Amino acid sequence: QGRVEGVVVRPSLVYGQGSQSAALFQQLARMPVLGLPGLGGQQVQPIHVLELAEAVARMAEHSEPIAPHRGVVYELAGPQVLRYQEMLRCYRQAQGLGEPVWLPVPMPFMRLGARLAQHLDQQAFSPDTLVMLEHGNTTADNAARHWLGREPTAMSEALVLPQWVLLPDW
């Protein structure tokens, strides 16, 4: 008694309406010249916030007792690994924008910019977020398909769909 049983949910990069980082990426993507950390090859596996919420809701509704799953870490992510540059390209295409000028920015300059950005009224760009980006944000075992009962929506598709399309039918 008194114990709370649960599981750990570890999502990859989450995007969608209301996300501060998604708003930053949308703004960045509008620029005619886009700075890329290093060469922009950092890997992300974005999942839409509505699909993340759907997967978590299905976990909560699961009829089996949670005890056999105690201590399990469920990694949830989108269906594909994208390079940072590809992710920004998805945002641009969703906004009907063509190809920008890609400008590689050496990582020491990115780190300096992240330290300076800490003093601004924002939380999306910081030394911590840059470290997470550098290490990549992908899953070893993506449980999203299992909990959604289908493949998660690709970012390039989800960004152009009306939000209600991504809501579950249950």
Side-chain angles (χ1 to χ4, degrees):
Q1 279 196 8
R3 290 180 18 176
V4 175
E5 293 185 10
V7 297
V8 175
V9 175
R10 185 179 337 164
S12 184
L13 180 68
V14 180
Y15 68 96
Q17 194 169 359
S19 164
Q20 191 175 27
S21 61
L24 172 67
F25 293 135
Q26 279 182 315
Q27 288 176 340
L28 285 174
R30 289 185 195 119
M31 307 294 277
V33 177
L34 281 172
L36 294 174
L39 297 175
Q42 300 82 2
Q43 294 187 329
V44 294
Q45 196 172 352
I47 184 168
H48 195 280
V49 66
L50 294 177
E51 291 184 322
L52 172 61
E54 179 183 348
V56 171
R58 288 178 188 257
M59 285 178 200
E61 288 182 336
H62 203 264
S63 59
E64 291 179 18
I66 205 162
H69 303 285
R70 189 177 347 152
V72 172
V73 175
Y74 290 113
E75 295 182 341
L76 300 174
Q80 59 196 152
V81 174
L82 302 172
R83 291 178 301 119
Y84 179 77
Q85 182 178 7
E86 293 171 323
M87 180 189 68
L88 288 177
R89 189 174 281 127
C90 286
Y91 278 108
R92 285 188 66 82
Q93 289 171 346
Q95 296 174 70
L97 301 170
E99 197 69 11
V101 173
W102 299 103
L103 178 65
V105 178
M107 291 311 289
F109 291 127
M110 291 298 299
R111 289 185 197 95
L112 175 62
R115 282 198 305 272
L116 294 173
Q118 291 181 109
H119 304 290
L120 301 174
D121 186 25
Q122 59 84 44
Q123 297 173 354
F125 185 50
S126 70
D128 290 338
T129 57
L130 189 59
V131 166
M132 284 190 289
L133 180 63
E134 284 184 274
H135 288 291
N137 196 335
T138 61
T139 61
D141 184 20
N142 190 358
R145 182 182 306 115
H146 169 77
W147 289 106
L148 293 173
R150 60 178 165 71
E151 191 71 26
T153 308
M155 183 179 205
S156 58
E157 295 172 31
L159 287 173
V160 296
L161 290 173
Q163 295 298 299
W164 61 267
V165 173
L166 294 171
L167 294 173
D169 291 333
W170 38 288

